């Protein structure tokens, strides 16, 4: 867990461009944006992936989505539309083992993803 880059972002050891923060979650700009608006929303609790989610984490995950509704207003994409994605495991394309939700918008997004 000590080697987790997102835990280091939460602790401030690695800098980030914060968009939102409260006691449960942190949101910051993705370092390699795939859309004009691309932020990550992460729980402050280290959870490796969706597969490691426990019943007790239910409040954290629902909070992520509640917070997202505020962030999209801040980013000005609430009405134009956006997408929230979480990648899980190798086939899902997960590269950081700390659960995170990509929030993408600011352009027309393709479906299905590649
Ligand atoms: P994944 O591929 O695991 O779904 O998403 C990981 C995301 O984290 C990628 O979009 C990547 O650009 C982003 N990322 C990786 N390292 C850092 C970092 O140090 N800072 C920030 N802001 N984003 C990062
Ligand atoms: Zn972590």
């Amino acid at each position: 867990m000590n080697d987790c880059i997102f835990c280091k972002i939460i602790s401030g050891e690695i800098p980030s461009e914060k968009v939102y923060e409260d006691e449960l979650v942190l949101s910051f700009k993705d370092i390699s944006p795939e859309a004009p608006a691309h932020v990550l929303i992460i729980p402050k609790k280290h959870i490796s992936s969706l597969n490691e989610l426990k019943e007790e984490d239910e409040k954290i995950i629902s909070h992520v989505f509640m917070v997202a509704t505020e962030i999209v207003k801040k980013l000005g994409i609430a009405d134009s539309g956006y997408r929230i994605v979480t990648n899980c495991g190798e086939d899902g394309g997960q590269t950081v083992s700390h659960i995170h939700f990509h929030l993408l918008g600011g352009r027309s997004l393709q479906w299905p993803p590649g």
Side-chain angles (χ1 to χ4, degrees):
M1 197 193 291
N2 290 338
D3 282 339
C4 173
I5 55 170
F6 285 178
C7 282
K8 286 181 179 168
I9 284 176
I10 291 163
S11 71
E13 198 177 327
I14 294 176
S16 68
E17 279 191 69
K18 290 180 188 175
V19 174
Y20 177 90
E21 181 170 19
D22 65 24
E23 70 283 6
L24 290 179
V25 303
L26 174 68
S27 178
F28 53 95
K29 291 187 181 173
D30 195 293
I31 203 165
S32 180
E34 297 289 351
H38 185 178
V39 304
L40 301 172
I41 309 172
I42 67 173
K44 287 189 169 175
K45 177 181 176 185
H46 180 92
I47 302 166
S48 301
S49 78
L50 215 49
N51 285 345
E52 277 70 48
L53 213 55
K54 297 191 168 61
E55 285 280 332
E56 69 205 38
D57 301 324
E58 202 171 344
K59 187 181 166 207
I60 297 174
I61 300 305
S62 59
H63 189 62
V64 164
F65 284 87
M66 293 312 299
V67 157
T69 65
E70 293 305 318
I71 295 172
V72 292
K73 285 183 211 158
K74 213 174 189 175
L75 298 176
I77 58 170
D79 294 334
S80 51
Y82 53 90
R83 184 174 296 162
I84 295 175
V85 179
T86 186
N87 298 325
C88 186
E90 197 178 338
D91 281 358
Q94 183 178 8
T95 59
V96 178
S97 296
H98 180 129
I99 196 169
H100 50 281
F101 296 81
H102 295 260
L103 170 54
L104 300 130
R107 68 170 170 84
S108 181
L109 300 164
Q110 304 304 302
W111 190 263

